[in-house]
Amino acid sequence: MREMASSQARDTFPRLLLQHAQVRGDKPAMREKDLGIWQSWTWHDVAEEVRAIACGLAEMGFRRGENLAIVGENRPRMYMMMTAAQCLGGVPLPLYQDAVASEMLFVLLDAEVRFVFVEDQEQVDKVLEIQAELPQLEHLLYDDPRGMRHYTLPFIHDIRELMAMGRIHNRNHPDLLASEVAAGAADDVSVMLYTSGTTGRPKGVRLTHHAFISAARGGADFDGLTADEDILSYLPMAWVGDHLFSFAQAMVTGFTINCPESAETVMTDLREIGPTYYFAPPRVFENLLTQVMIRMEDASVVKQKMFHFFMAVARRSGAEILDGQPVSLGDRLLYALGNIFVFGPLKNVLGMSRIRVAYTAGAAIGPDLFRFYRSIGINLKQLYGQTETCAYVCLQPDGQIRFDSVGKPAPGVEVKIADNGEILVKGPMLLKEYYKRPDATAEAIDADGYFMTGDAGLFDDDGHLKIIDRAKDVGKLANGAMYAPNYIENKLKFFQYIKEAVVFGDRREMVCAFINIDIGAVGNWAERRGIAYSGYTDLAAKPEVYGLIQDCIEQVNGELVGEGALADSQIHRFLILHKELDPDDDELTRTRKVRRAFVAEKYAPLIDALYGGRSSQFIETAVKFEDGRQGKVAADLVIGDPKTFAIARRAA
Amino acid sequence: MSRQIGEVILDLKKVSLAFGGVKALTDISFDVREHEIRAIIGPNGAGKSSMLNVINGVYRPQEGEIILRGQRFARMNPYKAAKAGISRTFQNIALFKGMNVIDNLMTGRNLKIRTNLIQQAFWWGPARREELAHRAKVEEVIDFLEIQHIRKTPVGRLPYGLQKRVDLGRALAMEPSILLLDEPMAGMNVEEKQDMCRFILDVNDQFGTTIVLIEHDMAVVMDISDRVVVLDYGRKIGDGDPDEVRANPEVISAYLGASH
């Protein structure tokens, strides 16, 4: 009840910090490994250091509302600096520490930064490299004094100097900090994060205390996080995910963040800390799995046998046991044995023995990868969100985990699907504005206050959101049903036999597909069946191969029919191309993305044949060989008619 | 650079060394000043490694003397050299391959350990306190050389460049005042060489350690050393700062192989 009463006072991060210093002053707030030993800062220590830094900043003339750039790896002082700037009503602006100087320049200029706080000599050198182009830069602070002895420029300061100055300032003006914190409001901007510039120049996303605290509290309540969690903070501080998990949630719940010794020691540090709450992008999980598999190759025969036997058990029943679904008694017993001999030790090696909740986000995770971690008993879940929404839109509830959806709207978040399939979200966690870009802000938030994510998605029958495509790629079939080409193509490409797929259907009455078989996988399949072939074109035309691909397509159709709005996107006709799509022929980009419009134009006769109801079509295509010679490939292509499934129309 | 090159700390006077009839070093004199980086260069077989071995007492010269901080040593030996603050690395890494990095570095602290075997066996009281203090020192070296991630890896499993770094680490763990480096960059790729150069300069700069090094890579030698002594067939043919040595006609002929 007392908690409820004081919730009024816990609406900004500095107030949260002061409260933790009172309630759990002697519990560890941060740890960092230094000289081989984990050093701790209690909440009380953190509050005192933040006070010293903030007073030092005040002494140097840091102003309310001003941006303060932070560049470095995850270290306790870097996080403290964020709160210190917030205490004075300033806005911390974390930058990616691996950005080169010229990339930093745009952001530092755009945000008119006067104060920069960096980790070490390397980052100091980067700032000095672009110093001439930063007329407004006044103070450059650094954390690690190593190698800094010869830097005598007057505007470069050790953070310790600043803190010493701050302590004196605090003695002379003991009420300053309290009054500055009291002057802060929940609607003030608490942090500015720049979105990566894949689409145009980077934009500064301004998020308020209220937004991040709502997102952090919502997520913490959703997963029942307590002040006893441990988290390893190793992802870039400039990424919204780290700010939510390592900063905002730690501040809201009072758990401990742990900073690794260096980027190379993360694996060891993970084992030593044994976090209870963990967040990583899919590629980290993938790397870990690859390492495990490589090490298993070197293990003794007995261990290998044991590993593979119990992993088969886990694949069969592990995820179901985790979800609390019924599993046969025999499998339960085997799984318990496996836990003793394989899964337990494996989790220990991975540093995942204590994990209660783990999240992944940022990219699509492969079903096998996802299932592997869940099957050995790690509660890995997905979430969906972006910088503009504090990475807080959808979360997967315990026990309702699918690899192909991102869960249900998080508490306090409203999600709706626009007519064009775009996901719109509304809630307390939305951005306040893009920095100095009212045009972009107006474009991103509609009249009803919904943020337009730019992703297209739909809700499945259980109310789980499924992300299917970028909204700008999504079209409509002739009957008005949504059509998401990348989504269908990705489904096809999950099959090892299909290397590339190009689907057509925008403003047409049905969906048809071009397929490229994977010559390695299909060739292997053919050899095992004694099917002789001379090359790609020959293999692609074999009736058996058509049968194989048709099976794959029918499986995809079977999945699509269960996906509501996408049921109309079942593939009605397909053909296997007589040549592989190739960047040399301009059919793919250099990063191997299909250039759909170009392919459609080049193979117009084939598309006509697909939609014209013909059963085969002759085509001759020019190809470039690697040595620059030109040649021609010709074939009489057969068109396959896979089975489609009747759509059960719900009464409107 | 803020470091101040000081007085002569090590002075070699008319040193001659022969193995039977083979004269390895003939009448060589040069000095090393405090805080400087002093390079010894020369073609193969010029007597560079012999020179280092004379300095830390592995070889005993038939003639000449070594004056270390004003103290005369007609006969240096490795124990006395180590006691006097001279440590070294080896051309063919001489680490304990089966031991991990920490243990290898701890051997560098051996000379400073005061407690006896029995106390250490029980790891009690003073022995325990002492080991903790030494371990803290070793951790500082690990931090300095940025090898935290291999702290517990057996040295034999490390790539060559890292083994070289551990070798340097062990020498640093002795907290030497004079560091002898025998071809610290031999067999390294460009990136590893750059790293090693940076560490050598950092050691010199941060701890003020005097460094005597042998190196084949001329670019490296000319870049990082304050003064260079050139040997050829056991005789000294040049001595001075890098530019002087580069312009010395005898040095040029020894290196380009012109007829004598």
Side-chain angles (χ1 to χ4, degrees):
Chain A
M1 283 300 111
R2 202 159 45 98
E3 295 262 308
M4 294 278 279
S6 64
S7 80
Q8 194 61 34
R10 293 187 290 151
D11 54 358
T12 68
F13 288 111
R15 286 174 202 160
L16 280 169
L17 173 63
L18 294 178
Q19 202 231 356
H20 288 306
Q22 260 179 21
V23 175
R24 48 179 68 84
D26 51 359
K27 282 199 59 181
M30 298 181 180
R31 289 194 199 99
E32 185 190 28
K33 200 174 181 186
D34 187 35
L35 297 181
I37 296 171
W38 286 97
Q39 314 283 341
S40 300
W41 282 259
T42 63
W43 282 103
H44 178 76
D45 298 338
V46 172
E48 281 312 300
E49 292 210 13
V50 165
R51 172 182 294 272
I53 298 171
C55 290
L57 286 175
E59 171 87 24
M60 288 176 110
F62 186 77
R63 293 191 288 255
R64 185 159 284 275
E66 173 167 22
N67 299 319
L68 184 147
I70 296 175
V71 196
E73 290 190 344
N74 318 59
R75 301 191 62 179
R77 280 238 173 73
M78 298 270 143
Y79 287 108
M80 290 178 202
M81 180 57 95
M82 288 206 183
T83 325
Q86 290 168 343
C87 283
L88 301 176
V91 180
L93 159 59
L95 272 70
Y96 284 92
Q97 74 272 20
D98 52 358
V100 295
S102 56
E103 286 172 27
M104 284 165 53
L105 180 64
F106 172 80
V107 173
L108 293 178
L109 276 178
D110 188 52
E112 297 172 37
V113 171
R114 289 200 302 145
F115 287 78
V116 180
F117 178 46
V118 301
E119 183 190 358
D120 54 12
Q121 185 191 8
E122 183 188 342
Q123 306 290 355
V124 169
D125 287 347
K126 270 203 264 183
V127 176
L128 291 180
E129 199 179 304
I130 50 173
Q131 183 210 348
E133 294 160 74
L134 291 170
Q136 80 290 14
L137 177 69
E138 288 178 27
H139 299 288
L140 177 56
L141 304 157
Y142 61 86
D143 184 17
D144 185 353
R146 177 163 177 199
M148 293 299 303
R149 285 204 307 150
H150 306 306
Y151 289 68
T152 50
L153 290 166
F155 69 101
I156 301 181
H157 320 277
D158 190 329
I159 186 76
R160 284 154 204 83
E161 269 173 53
L162 177 98
M163 289 167 70
M165 215 157 76
R167 287 192 188 99
I168 296 169
H169 182 99
N170 184 43
R171 230 170 291 144
N172 298 336
H173 310 86
D175 302 327
L176 176 105
L177 197 74
S179 67
E180 286 290 332
V181 170
D187 285 338
D188 289 350
V189 174
S190 74
V191 70
M192 175 148 87
L193 302 167
Y194 272 77
T195 54
S196 52
T198 47
T199 49
R201 285 184 301 141
K203 287 178 289 202
V205 180
R206 315 259 294 169
L207 296 151
T208 63
H209 290 275
H210 178 61
F212 253 114
I213 291 177
S214 307
R217 191 162 284 148
D221 291 346
F222 185 80
D223 285 310
L225 301 179
T226 67
D228 299 323
E229 312 299 335
D230 266 300
I231 191 169
L232 191 74
S233 306
Y234 67 103
L235 294 163
M237 289 179 66
W239 188 44
V240 63
D242 185 70
H243 198 72
L244 176 67
F245 280 72
S246 297
F247 181 80
Q249 289 197 330
M251 280 289 197
V252 164
T253 59
F255 63 64
T256 312
I257 66 173
N258 298 280
C259 300
E261 190 169 21
S262 74
E264 290 86 37
T265 59
V266 168
M267 272 299 288
T268 326
D269 298 333
L270 194 63
R271 276 195 72 178
E272 289 174 356
I273 288 297
T276 59
Y277 184 41
Y278 185 61
F279 184 50
R283 79 186 146 72
V284 171
F285 286 107
E286 200 170 337
N287 289 346
L288 286 176
L289 178 59
T290 312
Q291 277 185 25
V292 169
M293 288 308 175
I294 290 172
R295 282 206 239 160
M296 273 322 293
E297 298 278 304
D298 293 338
S300 67
V301 181
V302 181
K303 283 184 183 164
Q304 283 193 29
K305 284 242 161 80
M306 213 160 81
F307 178 76
H308 291 299
F309 174 78
F310 283 113
M311 281 318 296
V313 174
R315 260 195 300 282
R316 211 159 57 219
S317 59
E320 285 74 11
I321 291 173
L322 191 64
D323 284 347
Q325 289 169 17
V327 171
S328 74
L329 185 64
D331 273 356
R332 258 179 211 281
L333 285 174
L334 278 176
Y335 189 85
L337 270 182
N339 215 3
I340 297 169
F341 290 116
V342 177
F343 319 139
L346 179 59
K347 280 192 281 187
N348 188 23
V349 166
L350 293 171
M352 295 184 176
S353 297
R354 299 206 302 151
I355 285 185
R356 295 200 302 116
V357 186
Y359 274 107
T360 184
I365 187 165
D368 290 344
L369 190 61
F370 195 58
R371 207 174 153 78
F372 170 82
Y373 285 99
R374 291 197 58 82
S375 71
I376 61 170
I378 292 164
N379 188 14
L380 178 61
K381 309 200 282 183
Q382 298 188 78
L383 62 80
Y384 170 71
Q386 42 278 105
T387 309
E388 288 87 343
T389 58
C390 299
Y392 178 76
V393 172
C394 283
L395 299 165
Q396 289 185 325
D398 282 340
Q400 302 177 37
I401 309 298
R402 332 256 156 91
F403 80 88
D404 59 348
S405 73
V406 293
K408 293 184 170 171
V413 178
E414 255 180 78
V415 181
K416 77 175 186 189
I417 308 289
D419 293 338
N420 65 349
E422 185 166 359
I423 301 166
L424 305 181
V425 298
K426 190 173 170 178
M429 73 301 166
L430 283 195
L431 75 162
K432 188 172 189 181
E433 60 188 357
Y434 289 110
Y435 188 56
K436 295 203 284 196
R437 292 286 304 275
D439 56 321
T441 313
E443 219 170 87
I445 299 179
D446 72 8
D448 299 330
Y450 281 94
F451 171 73
M452 290 179 260
T453 60
D455 293 324
L458 51 89
F459 283 105
D460 67 11
D461 297 342
D462 300 326
H464 288 242
L465 183 67
K466 196 175 276 192
I467 313 297
I468 55 178
D469 214 328
R470 292 295 297 165
K472 63 177 167 49
D473 289 338
V474 170
K476 277 196 165 72
L477 296 174
N479 68 1
M482 180 164 54
Y483 159 73
N486 287 321
Y487 182 69
I488 305 170
E489 285 163 7
N490 281 338
K491 267 187 185 295
L492 288 168
K493 286 193 281 187
F494 271 138
F495 293 99
Q496 55 161 330
Y497 301 119
I498 298 179
K499 186 167 181 195
E500 274 308 336
V502 191
V503 300
F504 303 95
D506 195 20
R507 295 187 299 277
R508 292 180 186 270
E509 65 279 11
M510 61 179 179
V511 174
C512 295
F514 288 175
I515 303 290
N516 259 176
I517 54 171
D518 186 298
I519 183 80
V522 176
N524 202 332
W525 176 88
E527 273 166 39
R528 274 185 280 122
R529 276 161 191 73
I531 301 167
Y533 66 96
S534 62
Y536 181 88
T537 311
D538 185 27
L539 182 63
K542 296 276 177 209
E544 293 91 340
V545 173
Y546 261 83
L548 175 73
I549 299 300
Q550 186 152 339
D551 282 347
C552 298
I553 292 179
E554 283 170 3
Q555 274 188 51
V556 168
N557 283 346
E559 285 172 27
L560 285 170
V561 77
E563 296 185 26
L566 291 176
D568 283 308
S569 294
Q570 291 182 64
I571 297 162
H572 286 73
R573 309 195 80 202
F574 77 99
L575 56 81
I576 303 177
L577 284 176
H578 53 300
K579 71 175 277 287
E580 288 185 272
L581 297 177
D582 197 305
D584 286 345
D585 295 326
D586 298 325
E587 291 150 340
L588 303 178
T589 66
R590 286 287 156 200
T591 51
R592 303 204 71 86
K593 292 203 184 77
V594 173
R595 301 173 65 185
R596 201 183 312 278
F598 180 85
V599 171
E601 198 176 314
K602 183 169 180 179
Y603 296 104
L606 294 179
I607 295 180
D608 290 343
L610 284 169
Y611 286 99
R614 262 168 285 170
S615 61
S616 73
Q617 171 71 36
F618 177 78
I619 184 143
E620 191 175 57
T621 315
V623 292
K624 270 192 218 113
F625 296 114
E626 269 179 32
D627 57 5
R629 284 179 303 124
Q630 299 252 346
K632 279 192 166 21
V633 193
D636 210 2
L637 293 185
V638 181
I639 291 173
D641 292 291
K643 194 164 55 175
T644 56
F645 299 86
I647 303 164
R649 293 276 169 209
R650 260 169 276 169
Chain B
M1 284 277 162
S2 68
R3 78 197 157 94
Q4 288 287 313
I5 293 182
E7 296 300 305
V8 171
I9 182 172
L10 176 68
D11 199 0
L12 292 115
K13 289 201 166 150
K14 295 186 178 299
V15 170
S16 295
L17 173 73
F19 301 105
V22 182
K23 286 194 165 179
L25 299 169
T26 313
D27 210 16
I28 291 187
S29 305
F30 69 94
D31 59 27
V32 179
R33 291 169 181 277
E34 194 158 18
H35 308 313
E36 81 172 336
I37 299 182
R38 185 75 147 125
I40 303 175
I41 63 171
N44 281 334
K48 305 182 297 285
S49 289
S50 302
M51 196 68 240
L52 275 203
N53 283 331
V54 167
I55 296 176
N56 84 327
V58 175
Y59 294 157
R60 297 188 180 174
Q62 280 79 11
E63 282 171 49
E65 57 186 8
I66 300 169
I67 302 168
L68 180 64
R69 289 195 196 86
Q71 200 185 348
R72 268 164 215 282
F73 291 87
R75 307 219 134 175
M76 182 63 99
N77 68 37
Y79 181 74
K80 278 194 235 167
K83 275 275 182 207
I86 298 179
S87 73
R88 71 169 294 178
T89 67
F90 296 86
Q91 195 176 338
N92 337 303
I93 305 166
L95 295 165
F96 302 97
K97 305 256 178 205
M99 287 174 14
N100 68 24
V101 171
I102 290 177
D103 291 340
N104 266 289
L105 297 193
M106 284 297 273
T107 61
R109 304 293 300 173
N110 209 13
L111 210 60
K112 298 190 188 291
I113 287 176
R114 294 282 158 266
T115 49
N116 63 37
L117 183 70
I118 295 170
Q119 284 172 305
Q120 285 177 39
F122 289 103
W123 205 59
W124 173 82
R128 184 185 146 99
R129 278 196 298 279
E130 189 179 33
E131 183 166 331
L132 290 179
H134 287 303
R135 172 69 191 272
K137 208 76 212 167
V138 163
E139 281 292 342
E140 279 172 30
V141 173
I142 288 178
D143 183 56
F144 183 82
L145 294 177
E146 295 167 9
I147 47 177
Q148 294 98 336
H149 58 296
I150 51 165
R151 201 181 263 134
K152 292 191 175 156
T153 314
V155 166
R157 287 218 323 243
L158 295 174
Y160 182 77
L162 277 178
Q163 292 195 14
K164 280 274 198 193
R165 215 189 285 180
V166 176
D167 194 18
L168 174 63
R170 181 178 54 183
L172 286 180
M174 283 182 64
E175 300 176 76
S177 56
I178 301 177
L179 182 59
L180 312 179
L181 304 176
D182 196 349
E183 301 210 13
M185 280 159 250
M188 285 188 171
N189 63 32
V190 175
E191 203 185 326
E192 288 169 336
K193 277 185 189 177
Q194 282 173 350
D195 280 350
M196 189 54 100
C197 275
R198 190 166 57 84
F199 286 125
I200 292 173
L201 289 171
D202 280 354
V203 169
N204 180 249
D205 182 52
Q206 217 152 318
F207 309 129
T209 312
T210 308
I211 292 172
V212 180
L213 85 150
I214 295 177
E215 185 48 57
H216 264 304
D217 188 323
M218 276 307 118
V220 167
V221 169
M222 297 300 174
D223 261 5
I224 70 174
S225 42
D226 298 302
R227 288 192 302 155
V228 182
V229 54
V230 192
L231 303 183
D232 190 20
Y233 293 110
R235 292 180 310 113
K236 183 169 99 171
I237 60 170
D239 190 353
D241 66 44
D243 288 329
E244 271 174 63
V245 166
R246 219 189 313 241
N248 183 331
E250 258 198 278
V251 176
I252 295 170
S253 78
Y255 265 92
L256 297 182
S259 57
H260 291 271

